[in-house]
Amino acid sequence: MTTDTLLLILTGLCAFLAAAVVWLVLEMRLLKIQTSENLRRDEQDEMIEAILTGVRSERQEVQQAVLNVERGVSQTLAGLTGYLTEQQNRSAAEVRTLNETARQSLAETREVMNRQLLELQGLVDARFAKIIETNASASEALGAKLESKFSEIRTSVDANLEKVRAGNEARLEEMRATVQEKLDRTLSERLTASFRTVDEKLGLVQTGLGEMRTMAESVRDLKGILANVKTRGTFGETQLAAILANILTPAQYGAQVRVVPGSREAVDFAVRMPGASGDGPCWLPMDSKFPVEDYARLLDAESRADAAAAAQARVALERAVLVQAKSIHDKYVRPPYTTEFAVMYLPSEGLYAEVIRIPGLFEKLQRDWRITPAGPTVVSALVNSLQMGFVTLALQERSSDVWKVLGEVKGEFLQFAEGFAKVQKKFSEAQSSLDAMKTRQNVMQKKMSSIEAAGLLEEDGQEETGAADKLSQGVRGSNASVAAGLN
């Protein structure tokens, strides 16, 4: 057997083996595809995609196998070409013949492979079309089955929903009835309690309205009183009279006093001050003024936050206070019958505060007209200070009498001291006499204890009786001398 024949046989075997391998691979893939088709009929859509992917991959694998065969043949040819090159010197004609044969064999192999690939492509297309038809029918059957199932499920769900709806409506009706009953009961109780509370509040409001009506009448009466100048003056005078009566005694002040001799003008009140000469009193005039119109306009402007109107009312109030101060100064300030200043009493603390707030008004009243404005609190403090001054002045006036009485007490005390010294001397003498008598008595007792004879005891008894008589006479004499010393 020659080398050319061996090469041809090897080439044919390789081509046959390659074709057989490709055929076996394709058959295995087709068997796997059919097996997957039978096992996964419920997943038709996914299987179609997998089949298409498998076909594409198989086609690529066939093409790769053909390329591998061609590559192997090319490599074999390259080896043979090398071998033939080595044998070229021996047989150039055989090599050319072998090459031609190899080319023919390769052409035939290629034609066989192409033909087999075409057949395989047709088989795959036929199988794929069959699979598509099968899947379409299965999909239609599955769709119909699913539609029937969906219809059954929809019917069952509608029935269940209808039952649930009926049950919910029944429960809602029961709940509505219960809530309505509780709501009616609660509303009735609360309305009853609310009406009761409203009745009580209306009663309180009625009472408050009665009190407010009474208060309004009182305010109306007070406004009427304050609207009249004479009545308004009486109101201030009454208030000032109450303050003076609570602090001073009736002898320390007077009402409607004509402080200037020969004048017909009488001040509302005057506090009695000691005169400089001591012959007559010096009066401190206190006159009550109440410019309520200007003050009311000022309060109204401030409540309306009208700065311009408030300024005008404040100027009018200042003018009214200055006019009243000039009137008090001209009528009642006459030293030495009166003090060098007078007091303008303002019955309202608010009015007094507004007067003090006016810049320069207080200084102008004291500098030009010798007038001191004062509210109820300031008047009370002023009168209290005057009361303390009266007490101090009374103590100064009685100090000479006190010193005279103290001098007399001092003389009497000196005489008492002298008499007490004499009494003390007499008592000292009596004490000495008593001490001597005590000593004598002790001596006599010692002698009496030493006497044993009865005769002697009788004689001594007579002597003791005589001594006792002498002792009694001495004590009586001492008592008489002490009594004389005390007298």
Side-chain angles (χ1 to χ4, degrees):
M1 185 178 293
T2 62
T3 304
D4 296 333
T5 305
L6 291 174
L7 291 173
L8 290 173
I9 293 171
L10 289 174
T11 303
L13 288 174
C14 290
F16 181 77
L17 288 174
V21 169
V22 171
W23 177 256
L24 289 174
V25 171
L26 291 175
E27 288 295 328
M28 291 296 293
R29 295 297 182 183
L30 290 174
L31 289 174
K32 288 182 179 179
I33 291 171
Q34 290 176 358
T35 304
S36 299
E37 175 65 20
N38 294 328
L39 295 175
R40 299 177 183 177
R41 289 187 177 277
D42 296 333
E43 300 175 354
Q44 296 296 327
D45 295 333
E46 295 179 1
M47 185 176 9
I48 291 170
E49 185 67 25
I51 290 170
L52 292 174
T53 304
V55 170
R56 294 189 190 98
S57 62
E58 291 299 332
R59 182 177 295 174
Q60 292 176 357
E61 288 177 0
V62 169
Q63 291 176 356
Q64 186 66 33
V66 171
L67 292 175
N68 290 332
V69 170
E70 290 180 354
R71 192 179 297 112
V73 172
S74 298
Q75 292 177 356
T76 303
L77 289 174
L80 291 175
T81 302
Y83 176 75
L84 290 175
T85 301
E86 292 177 358
Q87 301 295 327
Q88 187 176 4
N89 295 325
R90 293 182 298 172
S91 181
E94 292 179 1
V95 170
R96 285 193 297 269
T97 303
L98 181 59
N99 288 331
E100 185 66 26
T101 304
R103 288 189 186 95
Q104 292 177 359
S105 297
L106 288 174
E108 292 175 358
T109 303
R110 187 178 292 110
E111 291 177 0
V112 171
M113 294 296 294
N114 289 331
R115 187 170 57 253
Q116 290 177 355
L117 286 174
L118 291 174
E119 292 177 358
L120 180 61
Q121 182 68 34
L123 181 60
V124 170
D125 292 338
R127 293 290 181 90
F128 186 69
K130 187 176 181 181
I131 290 170
I132 290 174
E133 292 176 0
T134 304
N135 289 333
S137 59
S139 297
E140 292 177 357
L142 181 60
K145 187 176 181 180
L146 290 174
E147 184 67 27
S148 62
K149 290 290 185 182
F150 283 147
S151 300
E152 293 177 0
I153 292 171
R154 189 181 297 108
T155 304
S156 177
V157 169
D158 291 340
N160 292 330
L161 287 176
E162 188 65 29
K163 292 180 181 179
V164 171
R165 188 181 298 108
N168 289 335
E169 289 179 356
R171 291 181 181 178
L172 287 174
E173 185 65 25
E174 293 178 359
M175 293 173 63
R176 189 190 64 77
T178 304
V179 171
Q180 184 68 28
E181 182 181 357
K182 292 183 178 180
L183 184 61
D184 292 340
R185 184 170 62 255
T186 304
L187 183 61
S188 177
E189 293 176 356
R190 291 188 178 181
L191 285 176
T192 304
S194 299
F195 281 127
R196 189 182 301 109
T197 305
V198 169
D199 291 337
E200 294 176 357
K201 296 296 183 182
L202 286 176
L204 295 175
V205 169
Q206 189 67 27
T207 304
L209 287 175
E211 294 177 356
M212 290 179 64
R213 191 177 296 107
T214 304
M215 187 182 298
E217 292 176 357
S218 301
V219 171
R220 191 181 301 109
D221 295 340
L222 180 60
K223 187 175 180 180
I225 291 172
L226 296 179
N228 189 354
V229 177
K230 182 66 177 177
T231 309
R232 188 169 62 218
T234 304
F235 173 75
E237 291 176 7
T238 304
Q239 191 176 7
L240 182 58
I243 294 174
L244 294 175
N246 289 331
I247 300 174
L248 301 177
T249 62
Q252 292 176 337
Y253 73 97
Q256 300 298 321
V257 180
R258 294 178 179 177
V259 295
V260 181
S263 176
R264 295 182 179 181
E265 300 293 341
V267 70
D268 293 339
F269 295 94
V271 178
R272 192 186 305 273
M273 308 287 288
S277 61
D279 297 334
C282 179
W283 298 99
L284 171 61
M286 289 187 177
D287 200 57
S288 175
K289 301 296 180 182
F290 198 4
V292 69
E293 293 87 358
D294 298 323
Y295 179 57
R297 284 194 291 270
L298 177 59
L299 292 180
D300 181 64
E302 289 181 348
S303 64
R304 291 184 288 104
D306 191 349
Q312 293 178 0
R314 191 171 285 107
V315 171
L317 178 62
E318 180 180 2
R319 188 183 304 111
V321 170
L322 289 175
V323 170
Q324 297 296 337
K326 182 178 182 301
S327 175
I328 294 173
H329 178 270
D330 294 340
K331 291 180 181 178
Y332 309 125
V333 179
R334 290 292 184 275
Y337 304 109
T338 65
T339 57
E340 294 183 355
F341 68 96
V343 176
M344 179 193 295
Y345 176 68
L346 303 174
S348 172
E349 292 288 351
L351 176 60
Y352 172 70
E354 290 295 336
V355 170
I356 295 299
R357 285 175 57 189
I358 297 175
L361 179 59
F362 187 81
E363 293 78 6
K364 188 174 182 180
L365 289 173
Q366 290 189 335
R367 182 181 65 251
D368 297 343
W369 305 113
R370 302 294 181 182
I371 300 298
T372 300
T377 304
V378 176
V379 164
S380 300
L382 177 62
V383 174
N384 275 319
S385 64
L386 292 176
Q387 176 68 12
M388 295 300 296
F390 292 157
V391 173
T392 303
L393 184 62
L395 290 176
Q396 290 178 356
E397 291 177 353
R398 299 295 302 274
S399 62
S400 58
D401 297 336
V402 172
W403 281 108
K404 183 177 180 181
V405 172
L406 288 176
E408 294 176 356
V409 170
K410 183 178 179 181
E412 294 292 334
F413 183 76
L414 292 175
Q415 294 179 2
F416 175 76
E418 292 177 356
F420 186 77
K422 293 179 181 179
V423 171
Q424 185 177 8
K425 183 178 180 182
K426 294 296 184 181
F427 271 114
S428 299
E429 293 176 355
Q431 186 68 31
S432 299
S433 300
L434 289 174
D435 291 339
M437 292 171 66
K438 184 66 174 177
T439 304
R440 185 64 180 171
Q441 182 181 1
N442 292 332
V443 172
M444 291 170 65
Q445 287 179 356
K446 288 180 180 180
K447 287 183 178 180
M448 288 175 65
S449 62
S450 62
I451 296 175
E452 295 179 353
L456 293 175
L457 182 60
E458 292 178 356
E459 292 177 0
D460 290 338
Q462 292 177 358
E463 292 178 0
E464 184 178 358
T465 302
D469 292 338
K470 291 180 180 180
L471 179 61
S472 299
Q473 292 177 0
V475 170
R476 283 196 295 272
S478 298
N479 290 334
S481 62
V482 169
L486 290 174
N487 293 327

